[in-house]
Amino acid sequence: MSDLPNGANAARRCKTDIRINVLARRRSLPATLRSTAAGRVQAGLADLVRQHRPRTVTAYVPVGSEPGGPDLPEFLLAALATTGVSRPRLLLPVLCPDLDLDWAEYAGSEPLVAAGRGLREPAGPRLGPAAVGAADLVVVPAVAVDRRGFRLGRGGGSYDRALARVAPATLTVALLHDGELLDLVPAEEHDRPVRVVITPGDGVRALPAD
């Protein structure tokens, strides 16, 4: 059930309105501001990597104005190399025809390949949709997140399915621009909260937030 009184249809309309407004604001951000914001978000993510020393991380390749910058995978590989963990792994998503997510390891030695919807993906062996469940740190994209941790994506449901395969104790992190941590995002039955958000202005913030 939706957490809004008018039910699921009202929740979806509200989600659509938020998505349109946030994405329009992202597109209007100057390139210099996006670059600065990406560096600050990456710094917060580096702090988490050093603190938790994960063995397996799942992340993604930001496109367009998404927070984190297009070099996020390379940045994460460099951060993982500083932790002293033996053979850490970075897994990146591979979009399936039904919009579910498969995963493949990315070691930085081969270029990412162009895929549908403007995405870039690893070319290596597919590990299966369940591979995300083995990650110690799961980094996900978001259009917005509310103070309870509920996340609004782009509407395809890919990361809702992926997060459903992640254990509740796993550290799940969404990357945002400033102004995208909202008081309320409508939540439906399939929505899964994240535990942490990172924004350029406030850095790492655990959820639920007061």
Side-chain angles (χ1 to χ4, degrees):
M1 293 180 61
S2 163
D3 60 2
L4 293 185
N6 292 332
N9 287 337
R12 293 184 188 117
R13 286 195 298 271
C14 186
K15 285 182 173 182
T16 297
D17 289 343
I18 294 171
R19 190 178 290 117
I20 290 171
N21 291 333
V22 171
L23 293 179
R25 187 167 64 243
R26 283 185 179 182
R27 288 191 294 269
S28 72
L29 294 173
T32 53
L33 194 152
R34 290 183 197 176
S35 178
T36 299
R40 291 175 177 171
V41 166
Q42 289 180 1
L45 193 51
D47 288 341
L48 283 180
V49 168
R50 286 192 292 266
Q51 178 182 354
H52 292 275
R53 303 179 70 243
R55 182 176 180 83
T56 301
V57 175
T58 62
Y60 61 100
V61 187
V63 296
S65 57
E66 284 187 324
D71 63 339
L72 182 66
E74 288 75 17
F75 170 82
L76 276 168
L77 286 175
L80 287 167
T82 69
T83 64
V85 173
S86 176
R87 299 181 65 183
R89 298 194 306 161
L90 174 62
L91 308 184
L92 297 180
V94 177
L95 189 65
C96 301
D98 64 355
L99 301 186
D100 203 348
L101 296 179
D102 203 333
W103 300 88
E105 186 169 356
Y106 178 62
S109 55
E110 295 184 1
L112 296 166
V113 298
R117 298 172 178 255
L119 302 176
R120 292 185 295 143
E121 300 173 345
R126 291 1 185 186
L127 304 176
V132 67
D136 309 297
L137 173 63
V138 175
V139 183
V140 299
V143 172
V145 176
D146 74 13
R147 296 179 186 279
R148 304 167 300 170
F150 284 105
R151 168 191 164 275
L152 176 65
R154 289 183 176 264
S158 301
Y159 280 92
D160 294 321
R161 283 182 270 184
L163 287 170
R165 300 178 178 118
V166 175
T170 301
L171 187 61
T172 50
V173 183
L175 309 184
L176 300 173
H177 287 294
D178 290 330
E180 296 175 358
L181 177 60
L182 308 180
D183 289 333
L184 180 68
V185 168
E188 299 176 80
E189 293 256 349
H190 62 270
D191 290 315
R192 297 291 185 271
V194 295
R195 296 179 56 198
V196 170
V197 296
I198 303 177
T199 62
D202 292 331
V204 178
R205 185 163 184 171
L207 300 174
D210 295 330

